[in-house]
Amino acid sequence: MEIKLRLGLLAALLLALAAAAAEAATTERRRHAYAAMMYMGTPRDYEFYVATRVMMRSLARLHVDADLVVIASVDVPVRWAQTLQEEDGVKVIRVENLKNPYENQQNFNIRFKLTLNKLYAWSLISYDRVVMLDSDNIFLQRTDELFQCGQFCAVFINPCIFHTGLFVLQPSMDVFKNMLHELETGRENPDGADQGFLASYFPDLLDGPMFHPPTNGTKLYGTYRLPLGYQMDASYYYLKLRWSIPCGPNSVITFPSAPWLKPWYWWSWPVLPLGLSWHERRRKNLGYGSELPILLIQAVMYIGIIAVTRLARPSLSKLCYNRRPEKIIAILHNTLKVAAFWSIFAAYTVPFFLIPRTVHPLLGWPIYVLGVASLSSVVINVFLLPPLPVLTVLLGILGSLFVMAFPWYSDGVIRALVVFAYAFSCAPIAWASLMKVTGSLQNLLEREAFFPRLGESPQLSEFNKLY
């Protein structure tokens, strides 16, 4: 195991040296760079690829005086790397994944396995300073003054631990080699990820001075704390529904939340108000051309389902005939009830997972509503259920979207209380709808519409003979 780790770190060092040499040989060089990393192996690789493109294009629109660099592992698809280079003007540097020696820790989270690739930023020795970024940053304005900071600078979102979603560094092969050595020897790392390693590597940053860019444009040396305005946690916004960060410029928003609450997901708005801000940047910089054909196909499919179920309804209703009531086996009763409720559940969940995750919320939500309505129409007709109780949850979801999207809340606390009050008031209606669906299923079972005896032809009522 130790030999494999040594060989892996040696290979990483050689590849980093080769990349640094190639970078130094380029004819057009800038002294600074904004860098991000990409690697494969998570269920959300494509989403982070899109997020990286949006962030890099946003920086380009701000006319930053720096190169845009992506440190991509060798398993990142070639077409993704080519798109970044040819369409986004990004320099892509290929690297081997660093072996994570902490993956057997008890508290290790597998999604952080390859975040140590961020250490490759110290190998970009053709630059004087590098601002290393996570993909979930939203830039509100240029931050080129960060290139005046020292050898290492970061923001303390947590009072005691700095955040590695954005930090400034001075590249150095000596530091990079030392970091690889520390990985090999097993330096203490509380979380097994890049943040824990860097917090252990720069333990004195908490006591460092605050960064204030010199007015004469000179560079500082040493380690500095960055003002909170360079990494404004989105949760601060949700309390006041506006930014009021007094220390430093309000320049960069970050989203250090659960992965499923990142701003690029279509369901992020209006659940999280800032989700729309990210999507507006994508709309302006990248567009949605790759997802629109999929949405169009889904819309046509759902409309077709609704049309077919409407036309087929008389035929399906013939299942409901009157015949002499007899006792049906209890297991068949329960099976039908379970099938009906699972079908309703599927009608609400299947469209959610079919929609491309990174589409604009104003496209994703209408397709979701249309999908639920179409699949629910199938359930309503097959099980002969009353439409309104089945669609009550959908109507409740629509109402909650309007409640959350209301733009004139005074602060986030009032918004949360209103959403809670809405949910509380809807609960009895949802329960009544559930009881109505259950009662309808029970009536269907008592008529034995789905279970005629074998070899016995059903006798249709005069009403159904009209069909």
Side-chain angles (χ1 to χ4, degrees):
M1 181 69 180
E2 185 177 349
I3 295 176
K4 287 183 179 180
L5 180 60
R6 287 174 179 268
L7 290 174
L9 294 175
L10 179 60
L13 179 59
L14 292 174
L15 192 59
L17 287 170
E23 182 69 19
T26 56
T27 55
E28 294 185 8
R29 287 185 301 165
R30 285 175 169 166
R31 297 171 59 195
H32 309 128
Y34 288 96
M37 67 172 178
M38 283 180 56
Y39 53 82
M40 306 299 289
T42 74
R44 295 172 291 276
D45 291 336
Y46 177 76
E47 290 96 285
F48 278 93
Y49 161 66
V50 172
T52 301
R53 292 191 65 193
V54 171
M55 183 178 67
M56 290 300 180
R57 287 202 176 195
S58 298
L59 285 168
R61 284 176 66 95
L62 291 172
H63 304 291
V64 296
D65 186 20
D67 282 340
L68 304 178
V69 177
V70 169
I71 302 171
S73 60
V74 292
D75 53 353
V76 169
V78 174
R79 58 186 175 85
W80 290 7
Q82 290 177 342
T83 299
L84 285 165
Q85 291 173 317
E86 298 171 4
E87 298 184 19
D88 304 333
V90 173
K91 293 186 176 182
V92 178
I93 298 177
R94 293 282 192 165
V95 298
E96 290 283 351
N97 290 320
L98 287 177
K99 174 68 176 177
N100 193 320
Y102 308 104
E103 56 186 321
N104 293 323
Q105 283 187 181
Q106 187 174 3
N107 64 336
F108 183 75
N109 191 325
I110 190 65
R111 69 187 178 98
F112 297 134
K113 180 179 179 180
L114 298 178
T115 57
L116 290 174
N117 285 1
K118 199 175 286 187
L119 303 184
Y120 277 111
W122 272 270
S123 70
L124 304 179
I125 56 176
S126 60
Y127 299 107
D128 292 343
R129 295 289 189 275
V130 171
V131 176
M132 190 67 200
L133 303 166
D134 283 347
S135 300
D136 59 352
N137 285 302
I138 294 179
F139 280 79
L140 304 180
Q141 60 186 11
R142 284 180 57 168
T143 57
D144 287 359
E145 70 276 6
L146 288 174
F147 297 120
Q148 297 176 244
C149 205
Q151 277 82 11
F152 185 78
C153 311
V155 179
F156 281 80
I157 294 179
N158 181 298
C160 301
I161 303 173
F162 59 80
H163 183 55
T164 56
L166 179 151
F167 59 87
V168 185
L169 63 104
Q170 181 180 13
S172 166
M173 286 308 287
D174 290 336
V175 174
F176 180 61
K177 292 177 184 177
N178 184 259
M179 286 180 168
L180 295 184
H181 175 72
E182 293 295 325
L183 287 179
E184 185 179 344
T185 57
R187 170 183 279 274
E188 181 184 1
N189 185 341
D191 60 9
D194 61 296
Q195 182 161 299
F197 179 84
L198 292 175
S200 174
Y201 198 86
F202 297 99
D204 300 326
L205 188 63
L206 181 62
D207 299 321
M210 186 67 71
F211 167 68
H212 299 286
T215 56
N216 59 3
T218 58
K219 286 184 171 61
L220 301 175
Y221 292 89
T223 58
Y224 289 84
R225 299 178 58 179
L226 294 177
L228 189 60
Y230 289 109
Q231 279 288 266
M232 299 185 296
D233 190 332
S235 60
Y236 299 152
Y237 178 88
Y238 300 140
L239 289 174
K240 295 289 185 180
L241 296 180
R242 63 182 183 275
W243 290 116
S244 56
I245 306 296
C247 48
N250 293 268
S251 301
V252 187
I253 306 171
T254 187
F255 297 82
S257 56
W260 288 99
L261 294 178
K262 295 298 185 183
W264 46 79
Y265 294 118
W266 62 265
W267 59 82
S268 65
W269 182 88
V271 179
L272 304 178
L274 286 174
L276 200 60
S277 300
W278 186 93
H279 279 281
E280 280 302 295
R281 280 162 176 77
R282 177 178 177 177
R283 184 184 64 83
K284 294 177 181 178
N285 293 292
L286 192 61
Y288 295 87
S290 59
E291 289 98 344
L292 285 178
I294 301 175
L295 294 180
L296 182 60
I297 292 172
Q298 290 187 15
V300 171
M301 179 184 69
Y302 291 142
I303 293 173
I305 291 173
I306 292 175
V308 170
T309 53
R310 293 299 299 172
L311 292 173
R313 183 165 187 174
S315 298
L316 289 172
S317 66
K318 291 180 183 180
L319 288 171
C320 186
Y321 54 85
N322 294 318
R323 59 191 302 270
R324 186 166 49 89
E326 295 180 3
K327 187 177 180 180
I328 304 178
I329 303 175
I331 191 171
L332 296 179
H333 284 224
N334 295 331
T335 300
L336 181 61
K337 288 181 180 179
V338 170
F341 283 113
W342 271 108
S343 298
I344 295 173
F345 178 77
Y348 278 86
T349 55
V350 169
F352 181 90
F353 291 105
L354 291 181
I355 298 172
R357 296 175 181 175
T358 56
V359 301
H360 198 287
L362 297 182
L363 297 173
W365 280 113
I367 293 296
Y368 174 72
V369 171
L370 181 61
V372 172
S374 67
L375 297 185
S376 295
S377 68
V378 176
V379 177
I380 289 168
N381 281 283
V382 168
F383 295 97
L384 305 170
L385 299 175
L388 187 57
V390 175
L391 296 174
T392 296
V393 174
L394 181 60
L395 297 175
I397 292 174
L398 284 172
S400 68
L401 294 179
F402 284 109
V403 169
M404 289 186 286
F406 184 75
W408 294 292
Y409 292 113
S410 59
D411 57 55
V413 176
I414 298 298
R415 179 178 184 266
L417 290 175
V418 172
V419 172
F420 176 79
Y422 173 81
F424 183 79
S425 63
C426 287
I429 301 175
W431 178 256
S433 298
L434 177 63
M435 294 297 99
K436 183 70 173 176
V437 171
T438 304
S440 178
L441 285 172
Q442 187 62 37
N443 291 335
L444 179 65
L445 290 171
E446 289 174 356
R447 289 194 301 260
E448 302 182 66
F450 279 77
F451 305 108
R453 286 185 174 180
L454 292 176
E456 189 176 292
S457 60
Q459 296 178 352
L460 299 182
S461 68
E462 292 299 322
F463 174 78
N464 282 312
K465 286 178 181 178
L466 294 176
Y467 295 110

